Amino acid sequence: MKYKTKKNYWQQDIRKAAYVRAALQGAILLMAIGFYLTVTYRYGFLISILLMCCSLGIYQAYWCLCAAFLLLFLIAACMNPDTKNKDFLVLCIKSFITLLLSVLLYLIINNIMLKLQNITLSDYQGVSQMGAFEFSQIPTILGNAYGWFFKMLYENYLYITWYPIVRVVIGAGYFISLLLFVMACFQNRKNMIRVGALILFTAILPLTINSIYIMCNDASTVHILMCYSVVLVFFV
């Protein structure tokens, strides 16, 4: 009976996910196109801001996915000896502007529409108060973001690392990434801008991947659908 109840629960959860599947896939598609335009075209980030704003309007948690993708791309650019410092700095600025302005534009449009319709956001998993937290919560936020990045190696994180083989694969990826990081720092030791950026971006990568803990100030409400960006640990 216990198994049957659990099975029925998951069937109900799957039906709920299927109901909004098209919208969620659309939000991811908009983020993916925005990422591509930002890193490919000189002024593509201007369109990306609008696309990411629309994606935020569908499901805010997928902003974390695009932020992590951009950061991984910047890390790869740091490790590429053929990347020019000027081009790299321009890409960093465009990425930052895209991520920042997409959120600001979403908040502005959202507030205008709420006032015009004289309504308020319904409370949903803490995301309705996106980014609202007290300074006293910062240690907890950082602890959750960085903690789960490494706890995935030995604990089941939201059923993502349920099987031990998944944890082994993630651990192997972390180890190889560490070796590549050391090699890249050594190869670019004469370019302090490149090395400094590589260290900084690598340090904030766990926070970016788990930035849902910044958007949602209550870690207990975070569920697997909100942590889509965690799949990027397999790209590390």
Side-chain angles (χ1 to χ4, degrees):
M1 180 63 68
K2 183 178 180 181
Y3 173 77
K4 184 177 180 180
T5 302
K6 185 176 181 181
K7 182 179 179 181
N8 291 339
Y9 169 79
W10 282 109
Q11 287 177 343
Q12 183 180 6
D13 192 56
I14 291 173
R15 286 196 296 269
K16 289 180 179 179
Y19 179 73
V20 294
R21 183 182 302 164
L24 296 178
Q25 290 175 343
I28 296 175
L29 178 61
L30 291 174
M31 285 291 184
I33 296 174
F35 163 78
Y36 176 77
L37 293 177
T38 300
V39 302
T40 305
Y41 299 102
R42 183 175 183 181
Y43 297 107
F45 72 99
L46 297 176
I47 302 177
S48 299
I49 293 172
L50 298 176
L51 294 177
M52 292 183 188
C53 174
C54 294
S55 180
L56 279 164
I58 298 173
Y59 199 66
Q60 298 93 332
Y62 289 156
W63 180 91
C64 310
L65 177 65
C66 189
F69 255 127
L70 283 172
L71 187 58
L72 281 175
F73 190 87
L74 291 175
I75 291 175
C78 280
M79 300 176 71
N80 185 356
D82 296 329
T83 303
K84 298 180 180 179
N85 286 341
K86 181 181 178 181
D87 295 336
F88 175 71
L89 290 175
V90 170
L91 181 59
C92 290
I93 294 173
K94 289 198 302 182
S95 300
F96 178 76
I97 291 176
T98 301
L99 294 172
L100 178 62
L101 292 188
S102 62
V103 174
L104 291 178
L105 182 60
Y106 161 74
L107 293 175
I108 291 173
I109 295 176
N110 190 50
N111 287 330
I112 291 175
M113 296 305 297
L114 290 175
K115 289 181 179 180
L116 288 176
Q117 300 183 43
N118 194 25
I119 57 176
T120 58
L121 287 176
S122 57
D123 187 18
Y124 175 72
Q125 308 294 108
V127 180
S128 53
Q129 302 294 328
M130 186 173 62
F133 58 87
E134 299 178 358
F135 284 103
S136 60
Q137 294 177 293
I138 292 179
T140 302
I141 292 173
L142 294 178
N144 287 326
Y146 283 94
W148 278 116
F149 187 81
F150 296 102
K151 284 183 179 179
M152 285 188 290
L153 297 175
Y154 56 88
E155 288 187 22
N156 176 27
Y157 177 53
L158 297 176
Y159 299 99
I160 297 172
T161 54
W162 177 276
Y163 296 102
I165 185 63
V166 176
R167 303 173 199 172
V168 172
V169 171
I170 293 175
Y174 284 2
F175 179 73
I176 295 173
S177 297
L178 179 61
L179 293 180
L180 293 175
F181 169 79
V182 174
M183 292 174 58
C185 288
F186 180 77
Q187 291 176 351
N188 294 282
R189 61 188 181 278
K190 296 182 180 180
N191 191 333
M192 296 308 299
I193 295 178
R194 191 76 58 82
V195 173
L198 183 58
I199 294 174
L200 174 62
F201 293 158
T202 303
I204 65 175
L205 180 62
L207 179 62
T208 306
I209 289 179
N210 287 321
S211 54
I212 185 61
Y213 291 105
I214 300 176
M215 301 176 68
C216 177
N217 54 22
D218 185 2
S220 63
T221 62
V222 173
H223 56 75
I224 189 171
L225 196 60
M226 302 168 71
C227 296
Y228 198 88
S229 55
V230 174
V231 300
L232 295 185
V233 298
F234 295 101
F235 289 77
V236 174

